[in-house]
Amino acid sequence: MLTVDFDRLPVGPGNRVLDLGCGGGRHAFEVLRRGADVVAFDMDARELEGVASMFAAMDKAGEVPPEATADTVTGDALDMPFEDGSFDRVIAAEVLEHIPDDMAAMREIFRVLKPGGRAAVTVPSFLPERICWALDEAYHTAPGGHVRIYTLAELSAKLKSTGFTIGPHHHAHGLHAPYWWIKCAVGVGNDDHPLAKAYHELLVWDIMKRPAATRIAEAVLNPLIGKSVVLYVRKPA
C-alpha cells in the first residue's frame, strides 16, 4: 500500500533514494523494483532486519533490476550518517508527526538532498487525525506516537522556511480513515472487536484485489477524508 505517487516523484536507474523512517519498507521495495539505488533508514534495527530479508527475497525472485542496489541503515532522523547532497530523492512517509523537533528533521532532509533533488513528505491529514485524537487518547499518547496534528499550511510553511520549493500535494487512503475512527472508538488496541476486524478484512481484500468500485470510492473520498496528505518539494539547484 503506497502513499507516495511515483508519477509525481519519479525514480529509476541512476537515482539514489533515501526512505527515511522506512518502517516495514513498503516504499523502499517499490523504489528498488523501479531500478533505483535505495537506502532504507530507520531507528528500529529489528524492523530493518525484516526489510533486509525482503530485499534478499526480492533479489532471489528476480524482482530487482540488475543495476539496482539496496541497503539498510540504522540511525536518528535528526543526525543522519550521510554526506551533504547524498541523495537524488528522499521519501519521508508518516515520520514527521512522531518527531518533537520536526524542523530539525526537515533540515536534515534538505542537507542530504542534492541540489535539484526532490522529496515526498507525507503526514496524517488534519481532519481524520483530529477525529482520532478526540476519540481515543491512547491513539496519540502511546510511546512513539504522534506528537502533533499538521495542517497542510503548517507543513508547507515549515518546509518552505527550511529552504524547499513547495510543489503539488494530494491526499491518500480515503478508505482507511473510517477504519482508524472505528479503532479509536472501540479502543485503539482492541484488534478483536468485530467491527474493527470486519473493516480490516475489507481493507486487506481491497489491497489484494483492487476492484474498480473501491478504486472509484477512494478517489472520491481522498480529497475529503484521505488519511494522509502527501506534499512534493524540491531543493533549489
Side-chain angles (χ1 to χ4, degrees):
M1 183 188 71
L2 300 175
T3 305
V4 171
D5 179 355
F6 284 97
D7 289 333
R8 299 178 191 243
L9 187 79
V11 301
N15 292 147
R16 189 170 188 236
V17 183
L18 173 66
D19 187 0
L20 172 61
C22 66
R26 57 199 173 101
H27 288 106
F29 303 146
E30 181 63 21
V31 169
L32 187 59
R33 289 189 186 98
R34 289 171 178 261
D37 301 325
V38 63
V39 176
F41 183 82
D42 204 281
M43 66 188 309
D44 189 336
R46 292 185 64 184
E47 191 98 78
L48 287 178
E49 289 177 5
V51 174
S53 295
M54 181 58 74
F55 284 153
M58 290 171 62
D59 187 41
K60 186 175 181 180
E63 295 183 35
V64 180
E67 69 276 12
T69 64
D71 195 10
T72 59
V73 177
T74 306
D76 188 339
L78 303 185
D79 185 21
M80 291 191 278
F82 307 115
E83 299 283 341
D84 296 357
S86 294
F87 296 95
D88 302 286
R89 306 282 188 269
V90 173
I91 297 168
E94 313 297 297
V95 174
L96 294 176
E97 70 274 10
H98 295 274
I99 302 175
D101 192 353
D102 59 339
M103 293 196 69
M106 293 177 190
R107 289 191 292 270
E108 275 290 272
I109 294 170
F110 189 87
R111 181 185 68 79
V112 302
L113 259 180
K114 294 178 180 178
R118 304 181 190 180
V121 179
T122 95
V123 297
S125 300
F126 177 82
L127 178 60
E129 184 76 351
R130 185 69 190 87
I131 293 172
C132 286
W133 281 46
L135 287 172
D136 189 1
E137 184 179 1
Y139 173 83
H140 65 93
T141 58
H146 299 178
V147 299
R148 72 178 57 79
I149 303 176
Y150 286 101
T151 62
L152 177 60
E154 178 190 357
L155 180 63
S156 299
K158 286 183 171 182
L159 287 165
K160 185 176 181 180
S161 71
T162 304
F164 286 106
T165 299
I166 305 303
H169 73 275
H170 63 87
H171 291 79
H173 310 316
L175 291 176
H176 289 245
Y179 170 70
W180 283 102
W181 296 341
I182 292 168
K183 286 271 289 178
C184 290
V186 302
V188 72
N190 187 2
D191 294 329
D192 294 326
H193 190 279
L195 188 55
K197 287 181 68 174
Y199 203 103
H200 183 264
E201 290 172 3
L202 170 66
L203 292 178
V204 171
W205 172 78
D206 175 57
I207 291 168
M208 298 298 294
K209 300 297 184 180
R210 299 188 65 79
T214 57
R215 295 303 88 220
I216 294 169
E218 184 150 85
V220 172
L221 290 173
N222 278 344
L224 303 173
I225 59 168
K227 185 70 172 67
S228 298
V229 60
V230 190
L231 182 60
Y232 300 88
V233 297
R234 182 189 292 269
K235 181 175 179 175

